[in-house]
Amino acid sequence: MNNKLFCTFTTLDDLEGLVQEIQDTYDILYNKIFILYIKTNDEYVCTYNVDPVSMGEVLPNTILVHRKKESNTLYTINALNELIKRLNGGVVDIYYKVNWQHYKNTILLTQHNELKQLKTKIHQIIEL
């Protein structure tokens, strides 16, 4: 199945409304929304799989991510490239093997071309 894994950032105050908005906007695959907490930013992230065929708009503060299941690492392609560059002497090599256990329960993203590592913990799993 071809799907998109979205990651939407929010505050605790806006979390309940966001979960409803996600359900109203998308056909959620696997009937689950995972809510993660990022302590360093005091921020929450909702992750969920969407069927791209039925997808319309993308909600604000939402990014497309990929996931390494064995380490529960979420990452953007730009962040993966920056990580490989950092680990491989400045060279992006598509065959470079990342040790994903070093990034367990982490979201890897870029901000202003800087690699950001946000540690997460599960706050709640919503069964739809």
Side-chain angles (χ1 to χ4, degrees):
M1 175 175 285
N2 185 19
N3 65 65
K4 303 283 185 203
L5 177 59
F6 282 151
C7 187
T8 305
F9 294 82
T10 190
T11 63
L12 182 59
D13 290 342
D14 294 335
L15 183 58
E16 192 175 313
L18 175 63
V19 168
Q20 188 59 54
E21 189 175 9
I22 289 168
Q23 291 178 75
D24 293 344
T25 305
Y26 302 114
D27 290 331
I28 305 297
L29 299 175
Y30 314 116
N31 296 316
K32 287 186 182 176
I33 298 174
F34 291 83
I35 302 173
L36 308 174
Y37 177 63
I38 304 168
K39 185 176 181 177
T40 54
N41 295 10
D42 193 29
E43 191 171 29
Y44 292 81
V45 176
C46 295
T47 65
Y48 48 95
N49 287 280
V50 174
D51 179 357
V53 173
S54 64
M55 196 179 89
E57 66 178 296
V58 175
L59 294 176
N61 301 313
T62 298
I63 59 173
L64 176 66
V65 294
H66 303 272
R67 179 173 174 246
K68 282 294 177 189
K69 212 176 250 189
E70 66 270 11
S71 62
N72 199 30
T73 307
L74 301 172
Y75 62 93
T76 65
I77 294 299
N78 287 344
L80 177 58
N81 287 335
E82 286 300 317
L83 177 63
I84 290 171
K85 242 198 275 190
R86 178 186 286 180
L87 297 173
N88 195 34
V91 177
V92 177
D93 177 357
I94 61 171
Y95 299 106
Y96 187 86
K97 297 286 185 214
V98 172
N99 183 345
W100 291 105
Q101 290 306 310
H102 292 156
Y103 307 97
K104 190 174 180 84
N105 299 318
T106 300
I107 301 174
L108 300 172
L109 359 126
T110 53
Q111 189 174 35
H112 310 296
N113 292 328
E114 284 273 321
L115 179 65
K116 297 288 181 192
Q117 298 181 43
L118 306 174
K119 288 295 200 181
T120 63
K121 70 177 190 173
I122 292 180
H123 174 73
Q124 183 180 5
I125 299 171
I126 297 175
E127 301 268 351
L128 306 176

